[in-house]
Amino acid sequence: TSLGAMQGDPGLRDFDVVMSGIETARSAMEQYHALRVAREMLRGLDGPELARLHEAVKHQRDSGWISPGMDRWELSEDILGFRSVQEDL
């Protein structure tokens, strides 16, 4: 399932495909779309999935693949700023 299709149809969303698009993107555009889908999925992720997503995004930022001033940086800020409902309890 493509990331574009996942953006248009929430029923097609696949966490592992999105993670692959973030961790091993073949282009900045692919990673951008994966980050967009990940942001849309945030409220439905469980604790381990959210932790895995945060770790992957942090790694991409630390490696310089996601840098300040990019659209992907803004998406990464949204993702890293999200805390699960369980964390708030």
Side-chain angles (χ1 to χ4, degrees), residues 10-81:
L12 297 176
R13 292 180 183 161
D14 181 311
F15 181 73
D16 291 324
V17 171
V18 171
M19 289 301 299
S20 178
I22 293 170
E23 296 172 323
T24 59
R26 290 169 283 182
S27 69
M29 183 64 73
E30 179 183 6
Q31 189 178 60
Y32 171 82
H33 287 289
L35 290 165
R36 279 191 59 187
V37 175
R39 184 179 64 183
E40 293 168 5
M41 294 175 69
L42 286 172
R43 293 195 185 282
L45 299 179
D46 62 27
E49 288 171 332
L50 185 60
R52 182 176 163 205
L53 175 60
H54 280 182
E55 200 55 42
V57 170
K58 287 177 192 173
H59 177 74
Q60 293 299 304
R61 286 170 56 143
D62 291 346
S63 71
W65 185 247
I66 298 174
S67 301
M70 300 175 156
D71 290 339
R72 289 178 291 138
W73 182 267
E74 297 303 319
L75 290 167
S76 73
E77 288 283 294
D78 291 345
I79 291 167
L80 294 175

